[in-house]
Amino acid sequence: MSVGLPSWRVLIEHMAEELHLDLERIGGRDANYQTIAEYYRLQLGSMESLRDWMERNWQVSREKVEKSAIHSLIVSLDFPIIYTTNYDRNLEVAFEIHGRDYVKVANARDVARVTPEVTEIVKFHGDFDDEASLVLAETDYFERLSFDSPLDVKFRSDALGRTVLFIGYSMSDMNIRLLLHRLWSTWQRSGYESDRPASFIFMPNPNPVQEAVLRRWGITVLSEEENDPGEALQIFLSKLKDRVDQLSASAAPDR
């Protein structure tokens, strides 16, 4: 949304309009987009029309991405692997704008193209270029709860041996909560929980309830005192970049 993408509410309203549904009769502001998307698939037989609409409306100009401080910071932080639940290509465009190589991973075939020298952009909930990969309707989410798809197996492998920073995930998303819990549970059962790499999650505003639950799962909550989520994230990433630059400079050999 920081570069003008529609909110999930806009998606809900579009599906309701196309299906001639009265939103107030199906939950109003509490309507669940996954359930409506499931109904959409049942009524129309496929998600092709919705995918096409989303692809048109989930795209922003290269100029907007180029001016996005958040996207610029993500690229400059040089993360080895980026997992995103977004379907759009804005991250890929940001890497292209800044002249950085990347490999997109949206299915099992893409996993074989991964190389250690290039940032991986893993489209965890699918990619517009592959309709079958999209995780959008309720059934799609339920099937992912088993966490045995190729991308789930890859995430477990990546997350077990690395420091993980979660950004932008809704803590009401049960898929994400279950994923975090299983990651903690795996380390706890291993008997080597004290050797687990640190994990963090950024939340725009402090939340003592979430902090307590996530701390139990071995995840440290980071936040900024800023009302606007986009501003909070930009401030956080800027501080992180400054700290990384300081550490890189101190580690560099004297000239």
Side-chain angles (χ1 to χ4, degrees):
M1 291 176 65
S2 66
V3 291
L5 290 181
S7 66
W8 288 118
R9 182 67 187 177
V10 173
L11 174 63
I12 289 172
E13 290 172 352
H14 170 78
M15 289 190 292
E17 180 180 357
E18 193 169 348
L19 294 168
H20 307 292
L21 294 173
D22 181 351
L23 272 178
E24 293 306 315
R25 295 189 62 185
I26 59 172
R29 298 199 64 83
D30 296 325
N32 184 297
Y33 80 84
Q34 294 102 327
T35 305
I36 299 176
E38 189 72 30
Y39 181 71
Y40 186 103
R41 179 186 282 157
L42 289 171
Q43 292 297 106
L44 301 184
S46 79
M47 308 292 280
E48 183 177 358
S49 176
L50 182 61
R51 194 278 317 262
D52 291 345
W53 177 85
M54 290 179 68
E55 188 169 12
R56 291 193 305 272
N57 288 273
W58 253 251
Q59 302 296 333
V60 300
S61 67
R62 290 179 69 91
E63 289 75 19
K64 282 189 176 181
V65 176
E66 188 171 10
K67 293 177 181 177
S68 169
I70 289 175
H71 285 82
S72 177
L73 285 163
I74 290 173
V75 174
S76 66
L77 278 161
D78 198 27
F79 296 110
I81 307 174
I82 299 174
Y83 278 80
T84 176
T85 54
N86 293 345
Y87 316 111
D88 59 75
R89 292 193 70 253
N90 289 335
L91 273 176
E92 295 96 299
V93 170
F95 272 74
E96 292 165 5
I97 286 171
H98 294 282
R100 297 289 299 277
D101 291 333
Y102 68 89
V103 59
K104 181 177 72 174
V105 180
N107 49 49
R109 179 188 59 193
D110 294 337
V111 175
R113 299 168 50 229
V114 168
T115 60
E117 300 82 15
V118 179
T119 295
E120 302 170 34
I121 299 179
V122 185
K123 310 298 281 288
F124 199 56
H125 279 179
D127 182 74
F128 284 136
D129 293 338
D130 180 6
E131 182 184 344
S133 72
L134 297 181
V135 178
L136 182 60
E138 195 168 53
T139 297
D140 303 329
Y141 279 87
F142 288 161
E143 288 177 351
R144 287 299 291 272
L145 286 174
S146 63
F147 292 109
D148 59 4
S149 77
L151 292 191
D152 292 317
V153 173
K154 174 175 167 52
F155 176 80
R156 288 202 303 270
S157 174
D158 289 337
L160 278 174
R162 297 176 182 267
T163 290
V164 183
L165 170 63
F166 294 89
I167 291 176
Y169 292 100
S170 170
M171 286 297 96
S172 62
D173 186 329
M174 290 308 296
N175 287 73
I176 299 299
R177 296 190 74 86
L178 182 56
L179 187 152
L180 296 176
H181 179 270
R182 287 194 172 184
L183 184 60
W184 166 76
S185 181
T186 298
W187 272 105
Q188 188 182 48
R189 292 195 307 270
S190 74
Y192 299 101
E193 190 174 5
S194 61
D195 297 306
R196 174 184 175 181
S199 289
F200 304 89
I201 189 164
F202 173 75
M203 305 179 75
N205 305 110
N207 184 323
V209 174
Q210 296 289 4
E211 288 179 22
V213 173
L214 292 167
R215 190 183 307 116
R216 173 76 173 89
W217 295 345
I219 299 170
T220 301
V221 175
L222 307 171
S223 59
E224 294 287 344
E225 294 286 355
E226 181 67 41
N227 291 329
D228 181 81
E231 289 291 332
L233 178 55
Q234 184 175 330
I235 291 169
F236 168 73
L237 290 176
S238 295
K239 290 180 178 178
L240 180 59
K241 181 65 167 60
D242 289 344
R243 183 61 176 149
V244 168
D245 289 344
Q246 290 170 9
L247 290 172
S248 297
S250 64
D254 294 334
R255 296 183 179 178

